[in-house]
Amino acid sequence: MKFYGLKTCDTCRKAFKALTAAGHAPDYVDVRADGVSADSLSVFLDAFGAEALINRKSTTWRGLDDAERAQDPLTLLQANPTLMKRPVIETDTGRYLGWGKDVQDVLL
C-alpha cells in the first residue's frame, strides 16, 4: 500500500493512523517533501480525472494566477503537488481518493 499525503494535513494523519491501526503498513509519500512522479500523476489523472484530483478549494489554488490555472493538469500538478486532493491511496486492488466513508469501508 502506498499513501500519498501531507504530513501536516489533519485528514492524512487520521487516515494514516486508521490504516496502521487496521494492520496495514502503508508506505508514506509526502507530496511536498518527496514529490510525486509524472508517471504517478498521470495514473491518478486517468483514474480520478482532473476535476476530482485537483483541489480547487486549497490555498495553493487561490494563490495561482489565471495563466497558471489554465495549464495542462499534469503540468500544474507537477509544479504544485500540494494541489492534489489527499490522500491518494494505492493498493494491489485499486486506487482511492480522499478519506470518505466509502474509502474507509473498503480499506478498514
Side-chain angles (χ1 to χ4, degrees):
M1 177 180 285
K2 207 166 211 182
F3 185 97
Y4 295 85
L6 281 175
K7 300 257 182 185
T8 58
C9 170
D10 287 339
T11 301
C12 293
R13 285 195 296 246
K14 287 177 194 172
F16 191 80
K17 183 177 179 180
L19 290 168
T20 303
H24 298 287
D27 179 22
Y28 202 115
V29 178
D30 187 302
V31 299
R32 182 179 292 132
D34 304 324
V36 183
S37 72
D39 290 342
S40 291
L41 289 171
S42 291
V43 168
F44 299 159
L45 283 166
D46 288 343
F48 307 118
E51 287 301 313
L53 189 61
I54 296 173
N55 182 359
R56 289 177 171 81
K57 295 179 181 176
S58 71
T59 54
T60 303
W61 178 261
R62 290 189 298 253
L64 299 176
D65 61 33
D66 289 339
E68 290 171 309
R69 290 178 180 178
Q71 292 177 12
D72 167 68
L74 180 58
T75 304
L76 182 63
L77 287 167
Q78 283 181 295
N80 304 281
T82 58
L83 277 176
M84 188 173 79
K85 185 174 178 184
R86 304 169 301 271
V88 172
I89 303 166
E90 286 186 307
T91 69
D92 292 338
T93 58
R95 290 177 188 83
Y96 306 92
L97 180 62
W99 190 241
K101 183 157 175 37
D102 56 332
V103 174
Q104 293 175 38
D105 288 346
V106 173
L107 297 178
L108 297 180

